[in-house]
Structures are given as C-alpha cells and as structure tokens.
Amino acid sequence: MKNEGVEGTERFLSPDKGRGLRAVQHFAVGELVFACPAYSYVLTVNERAAHCEYCFSRKEGLSKCGKCKQAFYCDVDCQKGDWPMHKLECSAMCAYGENWCPSETVRLVARIIMKQRATTERTTSERLLLLTEFESHLDKLDSEKEEMNQSDIAALHHFYSKNIIDLPDNQALIELFGQVNCNGFTIEDEELSHLGSAVFPDVALMNHSCSPNVIVTYKGTVAEVRAVQDINPGDEVFNSYIDLLYPTEDRRERLIDSYFFNCQCDECTSKSKDSAKMEIRKKLSSPPEPEEIRTMVYYAKNVIEEFRRAKHYKNILSELLEMCELSQEKMGSIFADTNVYMLHMMYQAMGVCLYMQDWDGAMSYGEKIVQPYSVHYPPYSLNVASMYLKLGRLYLGLERKTQGIKALKKAQAIMEVAHGKDHHYVAEVKREIEEQN
C-alpha cells in the first residue's frame, strides 16, 4: 500500500518486524519527515487552566466552560471545536463532582468510540495506517494486564454509559483498550512534563529501534516526525518506543512488557553503551562480583517501581526525597555516579526538589546528571535538551546569568533539530536568552 499525502515515505513489509515505514527520498538531520494530527486526544487533568483543552496552547487568561467550570479554552472557536468531545464529560463532571475520576486511558477510549461513530472515511491521521489495524496483542496479556483492562472497561461503563448510547460489547472493548495501550502516545512539553494522551495512527506505523533515526515531538495536538540521523532512500524509519537511558537487558524487558517483542536492533546486538551505563565505582578495594551487581540492579528496579507508585502523593515529598537519597547511598557503594540507576534516582530527587521549590537542591542534582545524559543518550535527545533547559532556567532564577545562557543555548541547539527551528518552544528559549543580553 503506497502512502497518500505523506511525501517521501511509504508503508512496506519490514523483514522480521511486520509492517513498517521506509523513506523513498533523502532526509537530512533536522528535516521534517511527516506530520500527523491526533486521531483523538485528551488533556491531562493536572494541566487544566494552564493549557487549552482543544489546541493544548499554554497561556494565561483561558476562559472556562460555563457549565462544568473544569475545561479551559483560548476562545469561543476552541470551545466550539472541542464540544463534540467535551460534551461526553461536561454533564458527567457536574453530576459526579469530586467522584469523577476515569483514568486518562478511559477518557481517550471514550473519545475514540465517538470519533469512530462520527467518521466513516479515512482521516488525515490515517494516511498510512488505519486505527482499526492497530495490534492489540491480547494473546500475550498476563492476568494483571487483563484485570487492568476489565477495570478500565468497568470505569468506561460507569462514567460514560449515559452519554454513549450502546457501548461496544465487552470483547470489542477489550480489543480497543489493548490497541490503545500498545499504540497510544503521551504528549509532552519542552521539559518533558506530561500534557495528555493521544493516538496518532501514522506515527504508530514506525517500528522501534534503540538507535532511532527519527524523533517525535508535538506542536499542539499534531505529532511531528523529524530526522535525527541522515536517512537515505530505502532506509526504514525507526522511532524509539521507550526511554533509552537504560542498558540492553533493561530496555528489552521494558519492550517485552509493554510491546511484546524482543528488540534485535544494532544497539541491542552490540551492547556498545552497556559498560558505560553500568559503570562501577573506581577505587573499590576489590571489584564487585557479578552476583553483587545483579542484586544491586534488582534493588534499583524495586526502588524505581516503589517511587513510581508513591510519587503521586504530594503529602510525602520529604519521604520521597529521603527515599532517593538512601537509595543513592546504598547503590553508591558499588555504582559510579554516572551509572544510569544512580542517575535515575538523582533525576527523581531533582523533580522532588523542584516541586518543593528547593532550587539549589534541584540545580545540584541537575549538574550531576546533564553530562552523563549527554553520553548515554543518542544525539538530539529530548531528555538531554530538557535537562539543559531546566538547568538554564534554574541558573537564571538563581542569578547565575552566564551559566544560564550557556545551558539554554545547548538546549536550543538540540531543540532546533528535534522540534524544528520554527517551533514556539524554540522561540520561547530564544526569547529567554535575548532577555539576558
């Protein structure tokens, strides 16, 4: 199937990977490969009042919905544009009040159901791949994932049955939730803060690599795919599905758990970055045994999972910070500060410091993180850009102008490739730099 309207690429059958996307022309680093509007999307509840519910613009003085008073918009046009989807929730939010609590995935699936009923033709989000073609991998789900699906289905019935007449039957909903869980995207801002969830069918066509040649960024509710390596005609276009910080074994575990395949990309085959990512402390009296390292990695993963579950509770921030510090102390008996598991806990500690407005503490962690990030991540990484951005803004806030400008310029250089030179995030960074001159 040749693509319609996605110039320079085509859908094809990728050896050992199934369908995929490949280039039929050359794309230079930083060049836009294609853009894809969201088929359906939802703003996260934590960003209400800060972002427009319809276009995701970030601005002050947004107007709230007069009925539910929980959705905010740029203007009347955005409010009208969002009404076909917002009406699913508006009256229900009024009726349930504080008890209105469907998950983001449930909210997104409800919107997809309504979009599918209202749309009979192929959409501009599906020029290469139809949403109905998404893999669900239901045969690979364990009991825990099956229970989560059923819980989401129950929530969908509970919160939406009055607004969506004749919901699909249970098997159809199981399939749809499976498809969304395997193919959904999280929309993030320039500092990688979570803004919402969406489905972009054409973007989902791309296969994964731990050394991707494109990167996906967002302009409002449109996904933009840009080259981060030179791509030649005939090359497959690869995105990354996961955070690439971790060593091969960890990445493979994450991919199998969430996407049900064993990655055999060049990076996973060569394991070229693993030794640097797993660096051991220098000047130990004797090198740790392999079993000691495995035990510490197991400990690190458990702490990461424990922190993930606990970090939503803002009333225990001091305990979370203590958890980060204690885990660093324990892991530091074997791991170097540049070890990715140490970096993970430093990053979490930095986030807690930022939330607590401990600017000096956040800056201290950021300074330890940013250089190892530049080594462990691929070039033009959003993780590296966001760290320079956070550091730059911290420096400026602490009146360290020279360091602030230097960090912001490093962020800008990466963002001009990843987001494009005309992106409003890049314009904001430029403005911040100019204001210091």
Side-chain angles (χ1 to χ4, degrees), residues 34 36 128-129 163 179 188 267 305 330 386 396 405 426:
F34 71 96
C36 177
L128 298 164
L129 181 71
N163 295 80
Q179 290 173 318
E188 297 171 323
E267 187 61 43
E305 180 59 23
K330 180 168 181 175
S386 73
L396 294 181
I405 291 173
V426 175

PDB file of all heavy atoms in Angstrom, residues 34 36 128-129 163 179 188 267 305 330 386 396 405 426:
ATOM      1  N   PHE A  34       7.408  13.751   8.347  1.00  0.00           N
ATOM      2  CA  PHE A  34       5.967  13.969   8.157  1.00  0.00           C
ATOM      3  C   PHE A  34       5.346  14.451   9.455  1.00  0.00           C
ATOM      4  O   PHE A  34       5.947  14.352  10.533  1.00  0.00           O
ATOM      5  CB  PHE A  34       5.259  12.704   7.649  1.00  0.00           C
ATOM      6  CG  PHE A  34       5.130  11.587   8.648  1.00  0.00           C
ATOM      7  CD1 PHE A  34       3.968  11.419   9.399  1.00  0.00           C
ATOM      8  CD2 PHE A  34       6.157  10.663   8.832  1.00  0.00           C
ATOM      9  CE1 PHE A  34       3.843  10.386  10.315  1.00  0.00           C
ATOM     10  CE2 PHE A  34       6.039   9.619   9.739  1.00  0.00           C
ATOM     11  CZ  PHE A  34       4.873   9.489  10.480  1.00  0.00           C
ATOM     12  N   CYS A  36       1.517  14.459  11.700  1.00  0.00           N
ATOM     13  CA  CYS A  36       0.285  13.688  11.829  1.00  0.00           C
ATOM     14  C   CYS A  36      -0.597  14.301  12.913  1.00  0.00           C
ATOM     15  O   CYS A  36      -0.206  14.338  14.083  1.00  0.00           O
ATOM     16  CB  CYS A  36       0.613  12.235  12.193  1.00  0.00           C
ATOM     17  SG  CYS A  36      -0.830  11.170  12.459  1.00  0.00           S
ATOM     18  N   LEU A 128      -1.525   6.320   6.242  1.00  0.00           N
ATOM     19  CA  LEU A 128      -0.710   5.115   6.069  1.00  0.00           C
ATOM     20  C   LEU A 128      -1.256   3.905   6.803  1.00  0.00           C
ATOM     21  O   LEU A 128      -1.088   2.776   6.369  1.00  0.00           O
ATOM     22  CB  LEU A 128       0.719   5.380   6.561  1.00  0.00           C
ATOM     23  CG  LEU A 128       1.501   6.471   5.824  1.00  0.00           C
ATOM     24  CD1 LEU A 128       2.710   6.888   6.640  1.00  0.00           C
ATOM     25  CD2 LEU A 128       1.939   5.985   4.457  1.00  0.00           C
ATOM     26  N   LEU A 129      -1.867   4.146   7.966  1.00  0.00           N
ATOM     27  CA  LEU A 129      -2.322   3.046   8.825  1.00  0.00           C
ATOM     28  C   LEU A 129      -3.661   3.421   9.459  1.00  0.00           C
ATOM     29  O   LEU A 129      -3.791   4.490  10.045  1.00  0.00           O
ATOM     30  CB  LEU A 129      -1.285   2.781   9.918  1.00  0.00           C
ATOM     31  CG  LEU A 129      -1.581   1.643  10.901  1.00  0.00           C
ATOM     32  CD1 LEU A 129      -1.434   0.293  10.196  1.00  0.00           C
ATOM     33  CD2 LEU A 129      -0.647   1.703  12.106  1.00  0.00           C
ATOM     34  N   ASN A 163     -23.863   8.839  28.405  1.00  0.00           N
ATOM     35  CA  ASN A 163     -23.546   9.749  27.308  1.00  0.00           C
ATOM     36  C   ASN A 163     -23.209   9.042  25.998  1.00  0.00           C
ATOM     37  O   ASN A 163     -23.282   9.642  24.933  1.00  0.00           O
ATOM     38  CB  ASN A 163     -22.358  10.651  27.690  1.00  0.00           C
ATOM     39  CG  ASN A 163     -22.693  11.573  28.844  1.00  0.00           C
ATOM     40  OD1 ASN A 163     -22.675  11.158  29.999  1.00  0.00           O
ATOM     41  ND2 ASN A 163     -23.033  12.812  28.544  1.00  0.00           N
ATOM     42  N   GLN A 179      -5.491  -2.177  21.912  1.00  0.00           N
ATOM     43  CA  GLN A 179      -4.913  -1.393  20.816  1.00  0.00           C
ATOM     44  C   GLN A 179      -4.361  -0.057  21.320  1.00  0.00           C
ATOM     45  O   GLN A 179      -3.265   0.362  20.933  1.00  0.00           O
ATOM     46  CB  GLN A 179      -5.969  -1.146  19.741  1.00  0.00           C
ATOM     47  CG  GLN A 179      -6.353  -2.396  18.959  1.00  0.00           C
ATOM     48  CD  GLN A 179      -7.523  -2.145  18.019  1.00  0.00           C
ATOM     49  OE1 GLN A 179      -8.495  -1.465  18.374  1.00  0.00           O
ATOM     50  NE2 GLN A 179      -7.441  -2.680  16.815  1.00  0.00           N
ATOM     51  N   GLU A 188       4.036  15.537  25.457  1.00  0.00           N
ATOM     52  CA  GLU A 188       4.843  16.186  26.493  1.00  0.00           C
ATOM     53  C   GLU A 188       5.285  17.566  26.040  1.00  0.00           C
ATOM     54  O   GLU A 188       5.351  17.842  24.835  1.00  0.00           O
ATOM     55  CB  GLU A 188       6.074  15.330  26.814  1.00  0.00           C
ATOM     56  CG  GLU A 188       5.720  13.971  27.395  1.00  0.00           C
ATOM     57  CD  GLU A 188       6.919  13.046  27.509  1.00  0.00           C
ATOM     58  OE1 GLU A 188       7.775  13.081  26.607  1.00  0.00           O
ATOM     59  OE2 GLU A 188       6.999  12.288  28.491  1.00  0.00           O
ATOM     60  N   GLU A 267      21.901  -1.604  18.355  1.00  0.00           N
ATOM     61  CA  GLU A 267      22.347  -1.209  19.695  1.00  0.00           C
ATOM     62  C   GLU A 267      22.179  -2.364  20.684  1.00  0.00           C
ATOM     63  O   GLU A 267      23.030  -2.592  21.547  1.00  0.00           O
ATOM     64  CB  GLU A 267      21.550   0.016  20.160  1.00  0.00           C
ATOM     65  CG  GLU A 267      22.027   0.624  21.454  1.00  0.00           C
ATOM     66  CD  GLU A 267      23.463   1.125  21.386  1.00  0.00           C
ATOM     67  OE1 GLU A 267      23.848   1.753  20.377  1.00  0.00           O
ATOM     68  OE2 GLU A 267      24.217   0.864  22.341  1.00  0.00           O
ATOM     69  N   GLU A 305      10.312   1.255  41.003  1.00  0.00           N
ATOM     70  CA  GLU A 305       8.884   0.919  40.970  1.00  0.00           C
ATOM     71  C   GLU A 305       8.169   1.462  42.199  1.00  0.00           C
ATOM     72  O   GLU A 305       7.055   1.994  42.104  1.00  0.00           O
ATOM     73  CB  GLU A 305       8.727  -0.610  40.894  1.00  0.00           C
ATOM     74  CG  GLU A 305       7.293  -1.096  40.866  1.00  0.00           C
ATOM     75  CD  GLU A 305       6.479  -0.573  39.696  1.00  0.00           C
ATOM     76  OE1 GLU A 305       7.076  -0.187  38.677  1.00  0.00           O
ATOM     77  OE2 GLU A 305       5.238  -0.527  39.804  1.00  0.00           O
ATOM     78  N   LYS A 330      23.014   3.664  49.075  1.00  0.00           N
ATOM     79  CA  LYS A 330      23.211   2.215  49.006  1.00  0.00           C
ATOM     80  C   LYS A 330      23.831   1.815  47.668  1.00  0.00           C
ATOM     81  O   LYS A 330      24.811   1.056  47.632  1.00  0.00           O
ATOM     82  CB  LYS A 330      21.874   1.494  49.209  1.00  0.00           C
ATOM     83  CG  LYS A 330      22.008  -0.028  49.145  1.00  0.00           C
ATOM     84  CD  LYS A 330      20.770  -0.736  49.628  1.00  0.00           C
ATOM     85  CE  LYS A 330      20.956  -2.241  49.582  1.00  0.00           C
ATOM     86  NZ  LYS A 330      19.818  -2.976  50.157  1.00  0.00           N
ATOM     87  N   SER A 386      15.902  18.766  27.644  1.00  0.00           N
ATOM     88  CA  SER A 386      15.068  19.209  28.765  1.00  0.00           C
ATOM     89  C   SER A 386      15.902  19.429  30.014  1.00  0.00           C
ATOM     90  O   SER A 386      15.614  20.319  30.819  1.00  0.00           O
ATOM     91  CB  SER A 386      13.941  18.205  29.046  1.00  0.00           C
ATOM     92  OG  SER A 386      14.437  17.024  29.645  1.00  0.00           O
ATOM     93  N   LEU A 396      19.296  30.973  35.837  1.00  0.00           N
ATOM     94  CA  LEU A 396      18.816  32.351  35.692  1.00  0.00           C
ATOM     95  C   LEU A 396      18.026  32.777  36.926  1.00  0.00           C
ATOM     96  O   LEU A 396      18.149  33.914  37.391  1.00  0.00           O
ATOM     97  CB  LEU A 396      17.961  32.490  34.430  1.00  0.00           C
ATOM     98  CG  LEU A 396      18.701  32.306  33.093  1.00  0.00           C
ATOM     99  CD1 LEU A 396      17.739  32.499  31.936  1.00  0.00           C
ATOM    100  CD2 LEU A 396      19.879  33.257  32.971  1.00  0.00           C
ATOM    101  N   ILE A 405      22.659  31.229  30.402  1.00  0.00           N
ATOM    102  CA  ILE A 405      22.644  31.433  28.943  1.00  0.00           C
ATOM    103  C   ILE A 405      23.321  30.258  28.235  1.00  0.00           C
ATOM    104  O   ILE A 405      22.832  29.754  27.218  1.00  0.00           O
ATOM    105  CB  ILE A 405      23.338  32.764  28.581  1.00  0.00           C
ATOM    106  CG1 ILE A 405      22.500  33.953  29.066  1.00  0.00           C
ATOM    107  CG2 ILE A 405      23.566  32.861  27.072  1.00  0.00           C
ATOM    108  CD1 ILE A 405      23.179  35.294  28.915  1.00  0.00           C
ATOM    109  N   VAL A 426      11.053  26.632  20.765  1.00  0.00           N
ATOM    110  CA  VAL A 426      12.365  27.190  20.406  1.00  0.00           C
ATOM    111  C   VAL A 426      12.330  28.716  20.502  1.00  0.00           C
ATOM    112  O   VAL A 426      13.271  29.338  21.006  1.00  0.00           O
ATOM    113  CB  VAL A 426      12.775  26.732  18.986  1.00  0.00           C
ATOM    114  CG1 VAL A 426      14.079  27.416  18.559  1.00  0.00           C
ATOM    115  CG2 VAL A 426      12.941  25.213  18.934  1.00  0.00           C
TER     116      VAL A 426
END
